[in-house]
Amino acid sequence: MVRTRLMGPLSWGWVKWPSVMGTGVLYLLLLSTCLGQDTEDWQYEECKLSRSGPPATIVAIDEESPNGTLLVENMQINGVAEGPDRTISLSLRDNRDYWVILDPSKQALYLNSTGRLLDRDPPSYIQSIVVQVQCTNELIGTVILHEVRIVVRDRNDNAPRFQQPRYYVAVSELTPVGTTIFSGFWGNNGAADIDDGPNGQIEYTIQYNPKDPTANRTFDIPLTLFGSMVLRERLNYEEITRYLVIIQANDRAPYPSERRTATTTLTVDVLDGDDLGPMFLPCTLVGNTRDCSPITYKANVLELTEPNKVNPLNVTPPIQAVDQDRNIQPPSERPGILYSILIGKPQTYAEYFSLNRTTAELLLLRPIDRELYRRFDLVIKAEQNNGHPLPAFANLQIEVLDENNQAPYFLETSYHGYVSEASPVGTTIATSGSLSAPLAIVALDNDVEETKDPQLQFSLDSYSNVFSVSATGIRRYITLLQPLDRETQDFYTFTLLASDGVQQSFPVTVTITVLDANDNTPTFANVSYNVNLFTDMMPGETVLQLSAVDSDAGPNGQVTYRILAGAQEHFIIGNSTGIISVAPGVDLAVGRSYALTVEAMDNGPAPQRRSSITTVYIEVLPPNNQSPPRFPLQQYNLEISEAMRTGATLLNLQAVDRERDTITYKIHSGDPHGHFALKENSGTLVLDKPLDRESLDYYTLVVTASDGQPDGTSTAMVNIMVMDVNDNDPLFISSLTVNLTVTEEQDNAFVGQVKATDPDLGSSGQVHYRLVNHQKLFSINATGAIRTTVPLDREVKGHYFLIVEAWDGSVDPRRSRLTLSVTVLDVDDNIPVFTQQTYNVNLPENSPKDSVILQLKAIDADLDSNLTYRIRSEGLDPEITRLFRVDPGTGELSVLKVLDYEALKDSEPTYMFTVEALDREGTMPPGLASVTVTIIDMNDFPPVFSQSAYRGMVAPNAVKGTIVTTVTANDSDPAGTPAGLVRYKVDQDAYPYSASIFDVDEHTGHVVTRVNLNEEPNLKFNLVVVAYDDGEPLKENTTLVEITVLQPSVIPVFTQEEYRFAPVSEEADVGTPVGVIVAAAVNQTIVYSIIEGNEGGVFALNETTGVISTAKPLDYEANSSYVLRVEANSMRVVSSNLRVPSKTNTAKVMIDIQDENDHPPVFTTSLYIGGVAEDAKTFTSVLQVQALDQDTGNYSSMIYRLIIPPQPGKDTKKSKDGFVIEPYSGVVKTAIMYRNMRRSYFKFEVVATDNYGQGHSTKAEIVVSVVNQLDMQVVVSNVPPTYVEKNKNKLLSILERYVQDQIPGAKVVVETIGPNRHGDGMEQEDYTKSDLMIYAIDPLTNRAVSRQELYKFLDGKLLDINKEFQPFLPPGGRILEIRTPDVVTSVKKAMQTVGYTEGALLALAVIIIICCVPAILIVIITYRQFKERQAECAKTARIQMALPTGKPGGGTANNLYEELGDNAMRGYGQQEELSMESGIDPGQDYYTQDYYNYEHGYELPQYGSRRKLISPAGLYDEYGEVVVDDDGSYYYSPQESDAEHGCRKHRIKLVTDREYETSSTGEDSLPEPQRSRLSSTVNSHANVNGSIYMAQNGSIIRTRRSVNATLPTHPHATTNNNLKLASPVFSSRLAKHFKKLDKMAATLEERVPLNNPRTAADGGCNTLRTFQSSGVAASATATSSLSNTDNNKTLNVFNTRQSSVSLGSTSTSNTGPESAASKSNLLKAAQGGAEQQPQSTAETGELREDERESRVDGGDEDDDDGLVMREPLECPSDRTQSDEEELWMGPWNNLHIPMTKL
């Protein structure tokens, strides 16, 4: 208040002013004295901090904190900064970049990061912010600065970053384990993290690389902070040449979840080291090893051949060995290979052959006599020249061949074949129009043995793209390479040549006729026809004539017409003419319309006929004009391209006027610019102007049609859509450079970028790129970036013109191209290379001193190289430097002294030395070359003629090329040298005219005519012939030849120009006359001679009589015809030792050889091995045999037959052969069934007889092994079955070869080829994959190789097999796995469910026996019950195995139901049915099938189905009965026939099982639904059951006898159950069935509970009674009850009318209580009779009317009071266990399913 007063204004007046002034001054003095001390205290406290501590404020904040983050909540400065009581003012100083905002009122500081981030890391580096808060004391004017330091804390917001995109290191494979191989992350080369503290610290680890899974175990980084990588495992260049190691760099943030990582790839290239020896090429690896399979090189040499003519010998393949360490760097350190012959046979091989140590050239040292040696077997060795201890070895076989001096020849002069135009590719051309036999082309070569393939090469002069000839064999076949079309070309004619590589045969003509196939359909000209008729048209008048064209020939092209529908009997058509006319008696009515469907059909074979149809629309019009024209449609829709040409027809608008008036067409509207025109008279709409879719893309035209009558105009609308076209090419951007560069030796290097644009729309505007050339060197991606795909080598090519093509994405794309110039930049990486590695110089003796004898030239592929030449001084003979010199700059090699050949010591003086070329400015080693200087002798002697002059005679009309005489000259210079080689020529200047008509052969000296002569007789010509050599200098000599032209009368004339004699038998004796030739001359004695064609001297010619006769034995197979040229000369000419060939004195003689049957057939192999499955049907093909005969015609046509020895112990009359053979094809087929015969085999012979069975014969052996799926493996591949079927033989040969590696001579057989089966139960089929089921047969045991061994043989070689399969499978095709057949796999799984093992019981039995002897009885009983339960479990398991889950009828290819039904059964009898039940679902339906007639090869049902097993209809007079022996055993005995009367009966033992014994009735135990299914009414379908048996193999067998409605029933209903039972009808077939069951049995004893004691008396007769019941005997599980009294033994069997449930098991599990209940209630119905015997007559009289007794045999009605009990009988199986000790159960015996072993 005091302060306010002092500061307020004065309001007093001027009154009493002096007194007031005095008083005021006094007052102020007093006030200032009182208040002075308080004012100083609070004024000076303003702007100071209210807190204690340092004046500076320090806070911390995370980087990247958001805008407005609170930095300081309150500065705690004294004073008030805002408001009326303000004492201070606050502001910021040094606020760089304005990162801080001040709120004065709150004294708070905030972060200002609007539009930016507070980043502590580079490049911002904002680690702290320092500002000054300035406080001004408004009271006293003082200023105080408060410092605020804001520390920016680091966040882990940056991941590590490697400084290089990738890293590289090269390591030798010899580097020891533990060596540090890479330290490239040290320093600034590794990864960096710009974060601070642990967030910026880096550690390195190796990550797993799925593309290179071995890298992380091969290398390790033990010190993660340093990142140095060490080697953990030994490297092997031959296995892996490059590792891609993924290195991860991560920071060390405190929390692992917040750590950031980065990865890079370290490429580790493994350098080759010298750790392997050489290997011979080509190398085929053995399995998965690196060892090569033994290789054999082969060479041939002709006998008595001089070495200089063949050296070096040609070896196949060429001998070559390489160091397996092929990439040792630098190349100068790579060792060389030295070759040698280690050993050989015969031991004298070294006298004949040598092997070049360095080049491996095989040299012949001396001629070989084939009579002494025919073959050399050598072992050659290759080793490194650096002493490496691992040599390689290979075999070398050298065959000594007979001299090839015979030309191949065909047996026929021409061939004619036939093929259908419908034949697929690969069809063999047939020899006749029936296409029954293939056309065989036979060509032979007398240089090759007749029985061997001459290995000739066939060539076609034309149509080689249509036909091909098989490559091997004596008989070759022509096959089709592409489909044929007879309508295009109906025959092909070409010539065929055969060559052995040296000689060539005469060509033969082959004509192939294409037979017509009905492959063309009759075609109408139009799809439909429109016809207008008038009512006044008369019957029979033509309406329309149709014509359909068929291009086929013969009946296939004849067309027949008929009306299928629509005629309404008003129209008819001519069958052959196609004329439609009005039917007789028909009047056409106005307004009627017809739509006739007319068919045109050809007359080919009925199943192959083709036809087509057309529709004829007929409208009946009135005779006068009553209607306007009408368009067929009211609206038409068109889509046309904007690129369509003008004048194109768009639409034919045809209006129809019934009165046929003239119609006028116009466009009414819709075309404002006149783009379209409508022809006024025809109605054709055409394009008049070009269209532009971009201007207008849709038109709607209204067109009119008028006939000129009133109301005679109609309209139609035409909608036209204009479609866009791709009319713009992609255009490259010109601003991008086209001159590019790239450095050599860089992989995936960036070359350049291109870009193109396309203004079109949609896919037409999408641009794609590709490289037109150099695709293997460069690549381009979708963006146009070009990179190298492989490292470039500038020395190979330094510049590339790269063509880039851009195209759009339309269906018919438009393209444009751009040429780029790519220059490869050089890197110094090449050594100088001489133009030749070896220089050979011939230096003539006496050459002058300093003569240049050789120009050396070396090239350094690198740029700017400066080469210098010199002679290598290492190991140099000092004599060389005295004789030769190399110019360092030019490379000229000169001789330093004159050399005299005769003065030199060596016979062939040669100097060898090495020269080198060095790049003086480079670092690469010098290039080397070897120089060989040979001193040669000069030419000393000229050629010398043997005569000073020669004479010759010639006919005046001699033809060109006639030999007149022969001159001979010799040269004394060394033979084989150029100076010793003599050649001849005519001196043209000496006698020019003579030289114009005569010439001399350069090499032979034959003087021949140059032209056809026409000279006067007695003329003489002189000719000078020059003989010269090739020596230095050339020397020559001359001689004179005098030629006389003879008189024509002196020259004989043959009576015929060509003689053809009758064929001569090849068995003709030597000296047999063939024919006579005759020539005549005036007053001359004629001498005959053979001048051509008698090679080998086969024929002799009497020189005086002209008789030609045989001089040697003939052989048709060696040569079927001869062409001789004979000559006749006068004695005068012959006596002068001259010849005068002319047109008249020479003739051709044709001699044909007649073939005889002089060769026996020869089988292709002496042993044929095949296999057959146990379930194979009859007449299944097993294998095909083939015998070949060198004879021709019928003499080579075979008839085959089999010789099958009878089986021991069987009647040969009744036994049936197991196989048959097709006599003409040689196909061996099955004739019986082979069930239960696994691991058996058949051995028999096949005989082939030629001349259709009338000629020679030969034998071969056949072995057929019986197999099943336990012997098989399935080869699963990812290609469709069609591919496998197409290449089956090739694929099979590959598999067979791998099996034969383990088992020599093994045969692999294909069982099935089908789609891949997969899924649960293998019921799904995949046709994109295939299953090839195979098995192999061992020729030593004649049995199948075990499934496990076959798996080992193939699965271990799967990679190698896939490699060999590649040529025969589509791309990507391969074998996926080798697996066990699915049926066997399912059985193994099912068998695992069988309960406790019998071994445990046996152990328990031993313990009990030891403890207490009486317990033995308990053990025996327990064991027997266990066996019975185990058999039941096994049967149920088998059914569960056979029935896939959820699909009882699941499929398998092995007809398992056939086995479930016991495929060995046959049941024949009078309407007798034999069914078999083994736990199959009773709810399924029955299907009728002739099941037992298996010999006919029927396709049997698949397992899991229920089929009613019906025996064939027919009556049999064989009956039988069930009898009981004295020992209590039951037997089935067929009734003996008259022929067997008195003989011992055949008896089949039956067994029972006590497990099912019960004492309760079966009616109540039956489920209600099942009881309701059983009918109680007697009708025509009523049955009388036979007996139910358990065979020893566990099968439940029931026999039935059908009872017709007319069957007499028993008239009485007795008061008890002692029904009178009749004997059943049994057939001998049933007896055989049980006999087979005995053979199939695996267990010693299995019982069925069919016994229940009752009393009965039948007078001692053994009878079998049956009766029918639908009530008590309606049990679904069993209906039998047997009783046994003293000697009266009768077997009664109850009938279940519709029941078909197994006695053995009624559910799929044997463990539940329901299963146990069902087993305990199996025979309650039968046993109920015994329990209710004391009942009253009324109780037993409740049997229904249909429970009537049926008498089958005349037994006593009152004697059958009881039922017979069957006792068990032990009958061991006669089948022994296999090597695998597996036991087979009966019905499944065909599959050999292994059960629990005893």
Side-chain angles (χ1 to χ4, degrees), residues 7 11 27 74 335 448 566 588 616 655 718 760 795 855 868 938 971 1036 1230 1251 1287 1326 1560:
M7 296 175 64
S11 57
Y27 178 79
N74 192 337
V448 182
L588 301 178
V616 179
V718 181
D760 287 323
E795 288 72 33
Q855 176 65 58
T868 182
M938 301 303 292
D971 196 312
E1036 61 183 26
T1230 61
N1251 196 13
N1287 300 283
D1326 184 0
S1560 61

Side-chain angles (χ1 to χ4, degrees), residues 947 949-955 962-967 998 1007-1009 1013 1018-1023 1040-1046 1132-1133 1136-1141:
Q947 298 175 218
Y950 294 85
R951 292 187 306 111
M953 297 181 181
V954 67
T962 300
I963 298 176
V964 179
T965 186
T966 302
V967 296
F998 296 99
V1007 179
V1008 297
T1009 56
L1013 296 186
N1018 298 325
L1019 283 179
K1020 291 187 178 181
F1021 296 91
N1022 291 328
L1023 190 69
L1040 180 66
V1041 179
E1042 184 181 275
I1043 302 173
T1044 303
V1045 181
L1046 294 179
R1132 168 187 157 193
V1133 173
S1136 301
N1137 199 22
L1138 298 175
R1139 293 174 58 247
V1140 187

Side-chain angles (χ1 to χ4, degrees), residues 925-959:
L928 304 178
S930 63
V931 178
T932 301
V933 180
T934 303
I935 312 301
I936 60 173
D937 193 12
M938 301 303 292
N939 191 10
D940 299 326
F941 303 97
V944 178
F945 282 99
S946 59
Q947 298 175 218
S948 59
Y950 294 85
R951 292 187 306 111
M953 297 181 181
V954 67
N957 60 349
V959 297

Side-chain angles (χ1 to χ4, degrees), residues 384-677:
Q384 296 178 187
N385 59 5
N386 59 357
H388 199 285
L390 294 175
F393 303 95
N395 299 318
L396 174 60
Q397 293 180 359
I398 305 173
E399 293 281 349
V400 182
L401 303 179
D402 210 356
E403 186 178 2
N404 186 6
N405 55 5
Q406 298 287 331
Y409 61 92
F410 288 94
L411 293 184
E412 304 290 340
T413 57
S414 63
Y415 294 91
H416 195 167
Y418 299 85
V419 63
S420 172
E421 65 172 328
S423 299
V425 173
T427 300
T428 301
I429 306 303
T431 187
S432 63
S434 62
L435 307 179
S436 58
L439 175 64
I441 309 293
V442 180
L444 301 176
D445 190 343
N446 289 333
D447 292 319
V448 182
E449 297 180 16
E450 297 177 355
T451 59
K452 293 184 177 180
D453 184 2
Q455 300 290 334
L456 301 178
Q457 298 176 356
F458 286 74
S459 58
L460 286 69
D461 67 331
S462 60
Y463 301 118
S464 59
N465 61 329
V466 182
F467 305 99
S468 68
V469 183
S470 55
T472 58
I474 299 177
R475 302 169 70 88
R476 306 290 183 91
Y477 300 95
I478 302 176
T479 56
L480 198 60
L481 293 181
Q482 66 181 31
L484 302 178
D485 186 5
R486 188 203 62 81
E487 288 72 33
T488 303
Q489 186 171 355
D490 57 356
F491 73 92
Y492 296 82
T493 301
F494 53 87
T495 58
L496 198 61
L497 286 174
S499 171
D500 60 5
V502 179
Q503 306 278 351
Q504 196 173 53
S505 69
F506 287 106
V508 296
T509 302
V510 180
T511 302
I512 297 177
T513 300
V514 183
L515 303 178
D516 183 51
N518 193 9
D519 58 344
N520 289 281
T521 302
T523 305
F524 287 100
N526 297 321
V527 177
S528 62
Y529 298 84
N530 293 283
V531 180
N532 294 330
L533 304 181
F534 296 96
T535 56
D536 54 356
M537 199 163 197
M538 301 301 295
E541 188 174 347
T542 298
V543 175
L544 177 68
Q545 182 171 10
L546 297 176
S547 177
V549 179
D550 192 327
S551 301
D552 290 320
N556 294 336
Q558 296 177 358
V559 181
T560 300
Y561 304 88
R562 63 171 178 164
I563 298 177
L564 298 179
Q568 302 178 18
E569 298 183 356
H570 291 176
F571 299 94
I572 59 176
I573 189 170
N575 290 341
S576 58
T577 62
I579 296 176
I580 300 175
S581 58
V582 180
V586 174
D587 293 329
L588 301 178
V590 175
R592 288 293 300 273
S593 60
Y594 304 86
L596 277 60
T597 302
V598 181
E599 179 190 52
M601 179 183 294
D602 58 30
N603 288 298
Q608 304 172 2
R609 288 182 181 173
R610 292 171 172 260
S611 64
S612 62
I613 61 174
T614 187
T615 304
V616 179
Y617 297 99
I618 300 176
E619 190 167 0
V620 180
L621 304 179
N624 55 358
N625 191 352
Q626 296 179 353
S627 62
R630 298 291 183 187
F631 285 100
L633 300 174
Q634 291 300 311
Q635 182 172 317
Y636 298 85
N637 297 306
L638 293 178
E639 290 184 358
I640 61 175
S641 171
E642 64 174 326
M644 182 172 286
R645 61 178 178 82
T646 58
T649 300
L650 305 180
L651 186 63
N652 193 5
L653 297 168
Q654 290 292 327
V656 178
D657 189 85
R658 292 188 174 183
E659 294 78 19
R660 300 184 180 179
D661 293 333
T662 302
I663 302 175
T664 303
Y665 302 90
K666 292 182 180 179
I667 297 177
H668 181 264
S669 62
D671 186 19
H673 302 292
H675 287 95
F676 305 96

Side-chain angles (χ1 to χ4, degrees), residues 1457 1473-1487 1505-1509 1566 1570 1573-1574 1583 1585 1588 1596 1598 1600 1673-1679 1695-1706:
Y1457 175 76
E1473 300 174 4
L1474 178 62
S1475 67
M1476 178 265 173
E1477 302 173 330
S1478 298
I1480 305 176
D1481 181 10
Q1484 296 199 27
D1485 296 331
Y1486 283 105
Y1487 297 91
S1505 62
R1506 288 287 294 173
R1507 306 242 176 148
K1508 190 175 184 180
L1509 310 178
L1566 193 66
Q1570 192 166 330
R1573 284 206 304 261
L1574 303 176
N1583 296 324
N1585 272 7
I1588 299 178
I1596 305 300
R1598 179 174 65 232
R1600 292 179 183 165
S1675 171
T1677 57
T1679 60
N1695 174 33
T1696 56
R1697 281 191 65 238
Q1698 308 254 342
S1699 174
S1700 52
V1701 182
S1702 169
L1703 291 173
S1705 175
T1706 58

